[in-house]
Amino acid sequence: METNGNEGGHRFSQKSIAQLDEIITHYPERRAAMLPALWIAQREYDGYLPPEALQEVADRLERPLSEVQAVASFYTMYNFRKRGRHHLEVCTCLSCAVRGAYEVMHKLEKELGISAGEVTVDGEFSIAEVECLDFCGAATVVQVGDQYFGNVTAENVDMLLDQLRNSDSHTPVELADALVKIMTPGGSEAAPA
Amino acid sequence: MADNDLVNVKIDGIAVQVPKGTPAIEAAKKAGVDIPFFCYHPKLSMEAGANCRMCLVEVATPRKGPDGTISMAKMPKPQTACSLPVSEGMEIETQTEQVIADRKAILEFLLINHPLDCPICDRGGECPLQNNTIFYGPQNSRFIEEKRHFPKAYPLSKHVVFDRERCIHCARCTRFTDDISGDHQLAFLKRGADMYIDTFNQSKMVSKFSGNVIEICPVGALLSRDYRFKARPWDILSQKSICTQCSNGCNIKLDYRVGRLQRVNARLNEAVNEEWTCDKGKFGMDYVSTDQRLVTPLIRRDGALQPATWSEAMDLVVQRLKEAGKSVGAIGGARCTNEDNYILQKFFRNVLKSNNLDHRLGTYLPPAQSGLHARLGYHTMGNAIADFERMKTIFVIGSDLVNEQPILFLRVRKAWRFKGGRIIAANPAATQISEFADPEVTYRAGAEVALLNGIIKILAERNPSAADLPGYGDFIKSLAGWSIEKAAEESGVSAERIRRIADAIFSGETAFIAGKAVTEHPDASAVIEAICNLAVLSGNAANVNIPVTQCNAQGAMDMGLLPDSAPGYTPVEEPGLNTRQMLEAAADSNLKALWLVGADPVAHYTDADLAKRALGGDTFVIASELFLTPSAELADVVLPVASVAEKDGTYTNCERRVQRIFKAFELSPDVHPDWFVFADASGRLEQPLPYFSARDILREINVTVPLYADCSPQKLGNEGIRWQYPSAKSDLQLVPVEYRPLAKVTVAE
Ligand code: SF4
Ligand code: SF4
Ligand code: FES
Ligand code: FES
């Protein structure tokens, strides 16, 4: 069995380990690699940071668990609960609200059978209500991963859902991956097995 | 400190000289100026400090103008005095309008979310937040919105409960677990108004030192579950005492009310516990006020222990002692005061004419004059607790230090955390020291000598001058069959790690601390000889430490509770029986009377079966006890005696520091200090030992035991006195040690 040299329930792939090793060289001490390590963990653990992910970061950076959780919880872009494969961030700030954001929101909630802040049972979608996304000219705006969808209405939101259903992307994981790539200009790849 | 390291500063116009870099808040203390604070704590690092902003002051420093004139330049914003290192010529103002307004504003801000439920807060009456608000705060608040709400009693551990609403985010507790205890249990989660303290993933707080966070929390957020709602600070009285839970001798306060202990707080002693205690001490001392305490003497009648009067009990004791003649012995004393022990041995030696005295219950029973003393000239610890701070390297061997010697553990960690010391450890299993020991190696149980031989081999090669040491020839010959590889194979520690240990010892002054895995080793003497060899070889003969573990075991040795030495380690002519020999004699009906003095061999002696036979047979057994222990249950007479809270006296901690305890309260008229019981018995034998108080006895000890000459009640003061051996040992030597793998060793006696 492939173990990736991972004991104790660790999940980082060889590629992740190589990337973390590269990132660690950017700093004077291991502890400073905490944020990138958390992004790698968020990618490896299906887009969020369960306690095991924090444990793995703590082990790999040789830092106390409490410190890892303290750092991670300071930031809002690390997720502590599982998100949908498509995480829909619906802007309900002024311009969007005026242009029917709440109708969009209600339609989504009805269509998916969940409320804002929840994940569908099949893990495909989650919804969040967010503040201004700075794209007010195209209100109502919905952000999915690093993509913006403008002029969304209660009428056309079905199209958006269909489009997403047919894509095989996993937005929280892809977002984490995109960030890790930026942080590893050395382009670390998996060491040969 | 050289003069040029001092700087001149002015606080509110008062000039003081302090070392360069002193925090302004400390310089102000020296000038007698108060600066209010919450988060500042002199023992915690400033890395995550300066959180509360309570200590704001205005600061000006001298600047040289372009024309060479010097003028004072005021910093544009107020500064936090706790994190501001002073520099030459600095002028600090603490009473300006600006500072007064800032303090008001900070307090108003801190109180925005504070529940102000002082009437039901354990901290009320001794709360820095209350006090600072009274002296520096605004009279009222402009905040009319809803305060933050959290559960009021969130249990963090068995001992600590957290009221999240009261927390002012000072980070003292989180810094304590990072800087001092090293268990990293508490941290801030989230940020801003949502920030709160918690453990990782809401797990239980696991710490040997959790009680300290209760004491350093400047508000009533971290509280003791035992003490919660039990008393108000103004209702309790406090007495100076010493913790009896181990040999470290932490200075504590017994806070009591109507004759019952309510809580234990630490008392500052920089030489011993600084201002910390471990949880065993802080929460374990409540044994003095449990309902199981014995309050009347018991006599065995018709096979059962039954209440009796003090006179009935003592008359019976005396009658049986008379019949027994010299066939008597006493085991115990490791938990009694020096005064108790001195009278105990005086009674046995001078009145009953017996040297059958021993305080030891463990496996390691070297006669008092051999072992460590024969080799290095001291019996237990070469170093004082505070000495560890100056060590370049500390080698902990065979000790689960955090459990065996909690306060020593904190000092060792401090050496690493704040003083640049290197810690290495070798244990049969990983311990908490692995957090900072580099490396902590695990060796095959029993293979200490093999591991030590490997290290010794390396050091012998590096230190050619060792050849001049007496005994070198035989010693080096005895190591001929040893190589690092063989040491690695026998001990299970890799050659590379053995080398790293040797390097660390070679790098500078090294202290050695050995623990239970060594003293309870079947071949303990050999291991100790090997440690002595390593110390002598590396030039650290003064730095071996094999601390005792029980509260006053050190004092019991000093006071002559040993079959072969009288007080002050004076050899006796006819040595008596040791613990094992007394128990064997009793089991074979060869001892007429045995007095257990706060000792419970059935529970604590290595051979419980022997203990049961000894106490359950024909020998008349007297037990001086606090509780009806398994051993006391087998006794013929049980005498209730005073605990640490009910008597005066002195204890000697593991580093030989003699420290005073003071009586807090009375338990019952029939409960006496141990010394009083022996004096009473002696009087009934018409050989009075006329003492009125523990102080009288200490004064006699000052005269009769030269080692204790300086330890008079007047001189002991608040720090105690560490007694010294008259001279250091001059004839150091190396001694061949035979390595016997564990299976081949049978318990030696
Ligand atoms: S719990 Fe107490 S010590 Fe800890 S941060 Fe809050 S106020 Fe400070
Ligand atoms: S370290 Fe020892 S003396 Fe100090 S509080 Fe703990 S048990 Fe008591
Ligand atoms: S208000 Fe929705 S994007 Fe600005
Ligand atoms: S005491 Fe200085 S900031 Fe808290």
Side-chain angles (χ1 to χ4, degrees), chain B residues 581-662:
Chain B
Q581 291 159 340
M582 277 187 262
L583 291 175
E584 275 166 357
D588 297 342
S589 306
N590 285 332
L591 191 69
K592 296 241 166 58
L594 177 61
W595 203 320
L596 300 176
V597 188
D600 182 2
V602 172
H604 299 130
Y605 187 64
T606 31
D607 185 347
D609 188 53
L610 172 62
K612 276 187 206 148
R613 280 188 288 123
L615 306 182
D618 298 338
T619 306
F620 184 74
V621 178
I622 310 150
S624 298
E625 257 303 350
L626 307 183
F627 300 101
L628 199 58
T629 60
S631 296
E633 276 176 16
L634 297 175
D636 298 285
V637 172
V638 181
L639 300 168
V641 287
S643 77
V644 55
E646 298 127 28
K647 63 184 173 189
D648 296 320
T650 57
Y651 290 127
T652 306
N653 79 350
C654 57
E655 52 156 8
R656 307 194 299 275
R657 184 175 301 277
V658 183
Q659 309 190 94
R660 294 183 78 177
I661 57 163
F662 297 89

Side-chain angles (χ1 to χ4, degrees), chain A residues 31 51-52 54-55 63-71 73-76, chain B residues 47 177-178 183-192 198-202:
Chain A
R31 158 193 200 182
E52 303 77 56
L54 300 175
Q55 173 84 58
R63 298 303 306 172
L65 270 172
S66 55
E67 180 181 301
V68 177
Q69 190 175 30
V71 171
S73 69
F74 186 89
Y75 299 96
T76 52
Chain B
E47 274 167 34
T177 69
D178 288 336
D183 41 54
H184 307 285
Q185 290 294 297
L186 299 177
F188 280 121
L189 300 190
K190 306 220 177 157
R191 65 174 158 184
D198 209 343
T199 50
F200 174 70
N201 206 24
Q202 294 164 10

Side-chain angles (χ1 to χ4, degrees), chain B residues 4 6 17 87 98 129 149 167 179 300 383 451 453 483 490 531 544 551 558 560 573 582 643 645 727-728:
Chain B
N4 53 8
L6 293 175
Q17 265 198 337
S87 59
Q98 170 80 57
L129 183 58
H149 288 295
C167 172
D179 290 339
R300 188 168 298 281
N383 299 115
L451 173 66
N453 277 351
S483 63
E490 292 281 342
I531 294 173
V544 175
C551 159
D558 300 347
E573 270 172 26
M582 277 187 262
S643 77
S727 59

Side-chain angles (χ1 to χ4, degrees), chain B residues 162 166-173 188 197 216-219 221-222:
Chain B
F162 183 37
R166 294 186 189 142
C167 172
I168 59 164
H169 299 166
C170 73
R172 275 183 156 202
C173 57
F188 280 121
I197 297 282
I216 60 172
C217 178
V219 296
L222 292 164

Side-chain angles (χ1 to χ4, degrees), chain B residues 640-701:
Chain B
V641 287
S643 77
V644 55
E646 298 127 28
K647 63 184 173 189
D648 296 320
T650 57
Y651 290 127
T652 306
N653 79 350
C654 57
E655 52 156 8
R656 307 194 299 275
R657 184 175 301 277
V658 183
Q659 309 190 94
R660 294 183 78 177
I661 57 163
F662 297 89
K663 177 172 173 172
F665 46 79
E666 188 99 25
L667 184 62
S668 128
D670 267 354
V671 172
H672 302 288
D674 291 88
W675 67 263
F676 179 90
V677 179
F678 302 114
D680 186 3
S682 200
R684 285 170 205 257
L685 285 168
E686 282 160 19
Q687 301 200 46
L689 294 172
Y691 302 98
F692 290 105
S693 69
R695 231 175 315 144
D696 292 346
I697 304 169
L698 183 56
R699 288 206 187 96
E700 177 172 325
I701 296 172

Side-chain angles (χ1 to χ4, degrees), chain B residues 450 453-454 457 461 474-490 737 739:
Chain B
N453 277 351
K457 209 53 199 188
E461 277 161 22
D474 288 344
F475 168 71
I476 214 70
K477 225 177 281 161
S478 74
L479 289 170
W482 283 88
S483 63
I484 299 157
E485 289 66 35
K486 177 169 171 194
E489 195 187 311
E490 292 281 342
V737 178
Y739 171 55

